Amino acid sequence: MTPTQDPELPEEALARRQFRVARYARHRFCFVAALALLGWTGSWHWFPELFAHFFFQYLLVSVVLTALLFWSRAGHWRWAALLATVLAGWTVLPFWLSAPAYEHEQATRLHVLQFNAAGQSAPLTQWLIAHRQEVDVVLVLEAAPDFEASMAALATEFPYRVAQLQEDPFGIALMSRYPLFDAQVVDLIGANFPVLQADV
């Protein structure tokens, strides 16, 4: 420091640091809020629905950004971030609340495998053949028509099934060791995006 320079006061250093933190947090908050908004519009189209898978992550990031914005006294931004954090928490709240336990004298613990085949059934088929005793129900996403051969090869272990196999990424298949009741393919949103519904 030269003799002509005045030392920076602690209040000025804090204000400068708060300004930098606020600017950093605001930019990240806008990005996370945009992703969350895309997720909330997922019922309109399948592409924004892809962003609806990460609301728990949005919530965690929003909590941190909100804390930073409050610390940096970022005006209205901190209240907007707090509102977004509450909305993200409200979105994931149903997944935190435990569903009522199903009480039955002969209740059985089910081991469910969900697998995104990405149109390739061979890796899943090989794994299931080696570990077939460990799984009770198998849900396959992006199940292509060639998965029919895999279902036939595993028919002894998983005799109950419902499937809508497709060449596009929206094929889906469900196989079970136990009977499936009211099993059906449901097209909830049209455009050949099938959903499977069944009681095990």
Side-chain angles (χ1 to χ4, degrees):
M1 183 175 67
T2 63
T4 58
Q5 290 178 322
D6 294 327
E8 189 175 38
L9 297 175
E11 295 82 4
E12 294 175 350
L14 176 62
R16 190 183 303 276
R17 188 175 297 113
Q18 286 177 325
F19 175 79
R20 288 197 297 265
V21 169
R23 183 174 57 185
Y24 174 90
R26 283 198 308 266
H27 293 162
R28 272 68 184 174
F29 167 71
C30 290
F31 180 70
V32 172
L35 295 178
L37 286 174
L38 282 172
W40 274 314
T41 62
S43 61
W44 299 347
H45 191 269
W46 68 266
F47 179 74
E49 192 274 335
L50 296 175
F51 296 92
H53 298 224
F54 306 103
F55 271 101
F56 182 72
Q57 288 83 351
Y58 301 154
L59 175 62
L60 293 180
V61 175
S62 294
V63 168
V64 174
L65 294 177
T66 300
L68 291 175
L69 288 169
F70 267 87
W71 176 81
S72 60
R73 301 176 182 177
H76 298 300
W77 283 97
R78 54 185 172 177
W79 301 111
L82 180 61
L83 176 61
T85 302
V86 170
L87 290 175
W90 182 263
T91 302
V92 301
L93 183 64
F95 299 99
W96 289 348
L97 299 178
S98 299
Y102 178 71
E103 299 292 343
H104 193 278
E105 293 179 359
Q106 298 179 346
T108 303
R109 180 185 298 272
L110 289 178
H111 295 88
V112 180
L113 171 67
Q114 177 181 312
F115 185 81
N116 190 320
Q120 300 179 6
S121 60
L124 174 62
T125 304
Q126 294 170 2
W127 189 92
L128 283 173
I129 290 175
H131 300 86
R132 54 184 176 269
Q133 298 299 328
E134 303 174 21
V135 181
D136 299 314
V137 179
V138 180
L139 174 63
V140 183
L141 307 177
E142 297 193 27
D146 67 346
F147 191 66
E148 182 68 43
S150 299
M151 290 193 298
L154 297 163
T156 302
E157 293 294 333
F158 305 101
Y160 307 99
R161 67 190 71 168
V162 57
Q164 178 72 37
L165 307 179
Q166 299 179 180
E167 292 287 357
D168 56 36
F170 305 104
I172 188 169
L174 179 67
M175 304 185 301
S176 174
R177 184 182 307 279
Y178 302 106
L180 297 175
F181 300 97
D182 300 323
Q184 57 182 314
V185 178
V186 182
D187 197 354
L188 292 179
I189 60 175
N192 206 25
F193 297 152
V195 175
L196 300 184
Q197 175 179 303
D199 293 330
V200 182

